[in-house]
Coordinates of all heavy atoms in Angstrom, one line a residue:
K37 N -46.3 -58.1 103.6 CA -45.6 -57.8 102.4 C -46.0 -58.8 101.4 O -45.9 -60.0 101.6 CB -44.1 -57.7 102.5 CG -43.7 -56.5 103.3 CD -42.2 -56.3 103.4 CE -41.8 -55.1 104.2 NZ -40.4 -54.8 104.1
L38 N -46.3 -58.4 100.1 CA -46.6 -59.3 99.0 C -45.3 -59.5 98.3 O -44.4 -58.7 98.2 CB -47.6 -58.7 98.1 CG -49.0 -58.6 98.8 CD1 -50.0 -57.9 97.8 CD2 -49.6 -59.9 99.3
G39 N -45.2 -60.7 97.6 CA -43.9 -61.0 96.9 C -43.7 -60.2 95.7 O -42.5 -59.9 95.3
S40 N -44.7 -59.7 95.0 CA -44.5 -58.8 93.8 C -45.7 -57.9 93.6 O -46.7 -58.1 94.2 CB -44.3 -59.7 92.5 OG -45.5 -60.4 92.3
A41 N -45.4 -56.8 92.9 CA -46.4 -55.8 92.7 C -47.1 -56.1 91.4 O -46.9 -55.4 90.4 CB -45.8 -54.4 92.7
D42 N -48.0 -57.1 91.4 CA -48.8 -57.4 90.2 C -50.2 -57.7 90.6 O -50.5 -58.0 91.8 CB -48.2 -58.4 89.3 CG -48.1 -59.8 90.0 OD1 -49.1 -60.3 90.4 OD2 -47.0 -60.3 90.0
A43 N -51.2 -57.7 89.6 CA -52.6 -58.0 89.9 C -52.8 -59.4 90.4 O -53.9 -59.7 91.0 CB -53.4 -57.7 88.7
N44 N -51.9 -60.4 90.1 CA -52.1 -61.8 90.5 C -51.6 -62.1 91.9 O -51.9 -63.2 92.4 CB -51.5 -62.7 89.5 CG -52.1 -62.6 88.1 OD1 -53.3 -62.5 87.9 ND2 -51.2 -62.5 87.1
T45 N -50.9 -61.3 92.5 CA -50.4 -61.5 93.9 C -51.4 -60.8 94.8 O -51.8 -59.7 94.6 CB -49.0 -60.8 94.1 OG1 -48.1 -61.4 93.1 CG2 -48.5 -61.0 95.5
K46 N -51.9 -61.5 95.8 CA -53.0 -61.1 96.6 C -52.8 -61.3 98.1 O -52.3 -62.4 98.5 CB -54.3 -61.8 96.2 CG -54.7 -61.6 94.7 CD -55.9 -62.4 94.4 CE -56.2 -62.3 92.9 NZ -57.2 -63.2 92.5
F47 N -53.3 -60.4 98.9 CA -53.4 -60.6 100.3 C -54.9 -60.9 100.5 O -55.7 -60.1 100.2 CB -52.9 -59.4 101.1 CG -53.3 -59.4 102.6 CD1 -52.5 -60.1 103.5 CD2 -54.4 -58.8 103.1 CE1 -52.8 -60.2 104.8 CE2 -54.7 -58.9 104.4 CZ -53.9 -59.6 105.3
E48 N -55.2 -62.1 101.1 CA -56.6 -62.5 101.1 C -57.1 -62.8 102.5 O -56.3 -63.4 103.3 CB -56.8 -63.7 100.2 CG -56.5 -63.5 98.8 CD -56.6 -64.8 98.0 OE1 -57.7 -65.3 97.8 OE2 -55.5 -65.4 97.6
V49 N -58.3 -62.6 102.8 CA -59.0 -63.1 104.0 C -60.2 -63.9 103.5 O -61.0 -63.5 102.7 CB -59.5 -61.9 104.9 CG1 -60.3 -62.5 106.1 CG2 -58.4 -61.0 105.3
Q50 N -60.2 -65.2 103.9 CA -61.2 -66.1 103.4 C -62.1 -66.7 104.5 O -61.7 -66.7 105.6 CB -60.5 -67.3 102.7 CG -59.7 -66.9 101.5 CD -59.1 -68.1 100.8 OE1 -58.8 -69.1 101.4 NE2 -58.7 -67.9 99.5

Side-chain angles (χ1 to χ4, degrees):
K37 291 186 179 183
L38 299 176
S40 64
D42 64 55
N44 296 318
T45 303
K46 302 172 185 172
F47 171 79
E48 302 175 70
V49 176
Q50 299 180 339

